[in-house]
Amino acid sequence: MQSTGEPMKQKLMTGKLCLALVLMSFLATGVNAGTKNGSPFYFPSEPGPYSVGYETYAISDNERDGRTLLLDVWYPVRRVDTKDAADAAYFFVPEAFGVDPLPARFAKVDVPIAPRNVKNLVVFSHGNNSFSAQSIALTETLASHGYVVVAPNHTGNTVFDPTDPFEVAALNRVGDVGFVIDHIMARNADEQDSFFQQINPDNVGVTGHSFGGFTTVGAAVGYEGIEGDPRISAIAPVSGVIQNIFTPEQLATIDIPVLLLGGTDDQVVPIEGNDYAYQNLVGEKPVHQVNLIGANHEQFAVLCDLGDSLINSGVAFEDWSTDFLGSLLLPRYTRVCLDALLEYETVERLQNQYVVSFFRRYLPISGSFWKSEPYGIFLFPDWKRQDKPDSKAWRKSGRDPSDLWY
């Protein structure tokens, strides 16, 4: 039998090069490029083809003693339906403290979900003692690319109620992800619900930051008697707490696509934790590791936005110690936002680029002209955006690498 391995590899490399050249020409123009049949290509670091709707409400889990979770939900909507809609806003501390809510980037309230195309669900898990809207640049951008994104406030481990010890919070968090998936799929099956038959139950992604990165991995592989959820098809822990919690044997059982994203200047969860995970994720499915050079831990969330909003509201930096929000931000704002090795706007852009690309590649959008393949190029180790080479990327797969060009 004639061997086809080398010719096939050459064809794949040629196809990869051609697509890379096309995408690089788009980047040079600075636009979301429109091409074949008038169908635009939407770059993963920027808003996608949809506007974004937002709603927030509480749910209770009767199987866990009525545990209540406050949810933030972002979903794709038609642009025409947002014409007169109000902007969304996010409360990150109790309203009683009198702190203005964080304004949405572009999400709107009281708008219907976009019809027709079936969407995939992505669950986002916030960091330790944080809040569900801590990464709105990412969650809103994911929704604009066609995903339903749901972020629970992990009760007992939020800025509102930082009461639970680690082990209690860890168990609750992993259970929360499964419960949120159950809840959204129940809405998907309810003829009276606006989400009826809008979501693919077989393609669920999970992402999260810091303790939320742990939650992401725990939901997939299982944790302390809670089994991994088989509905989860791809995970993207960001600066995740993985090392010293999950054993090599546990990580070796994960056989879904994984993206490990982190910063080389992370002093809270050092990047070596992602190195450990990458080495021990040995399944057949692709594993991507991306290190953002100079990024620190808090830049993956909205800490800098909160500080900037405080300054813009007229609270001088020297008065932060007497302001409720300022007193929370003061110990970290200068180090994280002003003296950082990498600008937080760049970290935000790159986080969007890699996480959105990852899910668009491995949880493809139904009905989209631009299928999953073009987004894989943004994950390829040799990919560099022209303006700033701020990252280093690795990729591996249990399959022969010649059968994948992305």
Side-chain angles (χ1 to χ4, degrees):
M1 179 180 292
Q2 183 179 2
S3 173
T4 60
E6 193 61 30
M8 178 61 71
K9 182 175 181 180
Q10 291 175 356
K11 290 180 181 179
L12 290 167
M13 292 299 292
T14 301
K16 179 187 72 176
L17 177 61
C18 290
L19 183 57
L21 291 173
V22 171
L23 291 177
M24 289 179 70
S25 68
F26 292 164
L27 282 171
T29 66
V31 298
N32 267 336
T35 56
K36 187 175 179 180
N37 298 328
S39 297
F41 179 87
Y42 292 91
F43 283 102
S45 57
E46 301 168 5
Y50 295 98
S51 292
V52 175
Y54 168 76
E55 60 186 21
T56 182
Y57 57 92
I59 58 175
S60 295
D61 187 353
N62 293 329
E63 296 185 4
R64 293 190 295 163
D65 298 322
R67 177 172 169 80
T68 299
L69 302 176
L70 181 64
L71 303 184
D72 282 340
V73 183
W74 296 269
Y75 52 92
V77 302
R78 298 182 303 177
R79 298 188 188 281
V80 66
D81 291 330
T82 65
K83 181 178 179 182
D84 299 316
D87 294 334
Y90 312 110
F91 283 95
F92 50 91
V93 294
E95 293 183 58
F97 285 97
V99 178
D100 290 338
L102 185 68
R105 298 300 176 89
F106 43 86
K108 306 288 184 178
V109 296
D110 298 325
V111 286
I113 190 169
R116 294 186 304 207
N117 292 348
V118 175
K119 298 123 186 109
N120 293 322
L121 171 65
V122 174
V123 180
F124 175 83
S125 177
H126 64 74
N128 184 48
N129 293 337
S130 187
F131 66 113
S132 53
Q134 68 148 66
S135 299
I136 55 173
L138 175 61
T139 53
E140 290 189 19
T141 301
L142 276 167
S144 77
H145 280 263
Y147 296 91
V148 172
V149 183
V150 182
N153 279 284
H154 295 291
T155 304
N157 189 235
T158 75
V159 68
F160 303 98
D161 59 346
T163 56
D164 287 347
F166 174 85
E167 282 301 330
V168 173
L171 283 169
N172 282 336
R173 281 169 156 272
V174 174
D176 289 346
V177 173
F179 178 52
V180 166
I181 296 173
D182 290 343
H183 165 73
I184 295 298
M185 294 311 166
R187 292 189 62 181
N188 189 55
D190 184 353
E191 295 183 6
Q192 305 303 313
D193 196 283
S194 61
F195 280 12
F196 177 59
Q197 292 186 347
Q198 291 285 335
I199 300 169
N200 183 348
D202 299 320
N203 270 350
V204 177
V206 184
T207 185
H209 173 242
S210 192
F211 205 179
F214 152 83
T215 309
T216 298
V217 176
V221 74
Y223 181 73
E224 295 295 334
I226 300 176
E227 294 184 359
D229 196 317
R231 297 169 294 186
I232 297 173
S233 301
I235 58 172
V238 178
S239 293
V241 181
I242 301 173
Q243 195 171 18
N244 300 321
I245 295 181
F246 298 103
T247 66
E249 292 75 19
Q250 288 175 304
L251 294 176
T253 67
I254 296 177
D255 199 21
I256 56 177
V258 179
L259 168 66
L260 301 163
L261 180 63
T264 61
D265 196 39
D266 191 330
Q267 306 300 312
V268 180
V269 183
I271 199 71
E272 287 75 17
N274 280 357
D275 297 338
Y276 165 82
Y278 186 81
Q279 292 166 6
N280 290 291
L281 288 163
V282 294
E284 290 294 306
K285 298 299 191 298
V287 178
H288 300 268
Q289 181 179 351
V290 178
N291 295 353
L292 302 190
I293 309 304
N296 61 53
H297 191 76
E298 293 90 342
Q299 287 179 315
F300 292 102
V302 294
L303 186 147
C304 299
D305 295 82
L306 297 178
D308 290 348
S309 67
L310 196 62
I311 293 172
N312 294 336
S313 68
V315 180
F317 187 73
E318 56 267 23
D319 296 329
W320 278 23
S321 61
T322 60
D323 179 87
F324 173 76
L325 175 59
S327 64
L328 295 177
L329 298 177
L330 191 58
R332 293 179 290 175
Y333 181 80
T334 299
R335 173 179 58 83
V336 171
C337 308
L338 302 182
D339 297 336
L341 299 177
L342 186 62
E343 299 90 345
Y344 72 88
E345 295 92 347
T346 300
V347 177
E348 178 180 288
R349 172 177 63 80
L350 291 172
Q351 178 176 221
N352 284 354
Q353 174 178 305
Y354 287 109
V355 177
V356 174
S357 293
F358 174 76
F359 284 124
R360 291 217 62 168
R361 170 63 190 90
Y362 297 110
L363 297 181
I365 303 297
S366 171
S368 172
F369 171 81
W370 286 97
K371 301 296 185 182
S372 61
E373 287 83 1
Y375 288 91
I377 197 68
F378 291 96
L379 299 168
F380 196 78
D382 292 335
W383 173 259
K384 294 289 185 183
R385 180 150 183 177
Q386 293 181 20
D387 57 347
K388 280 197 170 199
D390 291 311
S391 60
K392 290 185 177 179
W394 297 266
R395 178 204 172 279
K396 67 176 181 179
S397 171
R399 289 175 286 181
D400 184 283
S402 67
D403 67 2
L404 293 172
W405 57 264
Y406 34 75

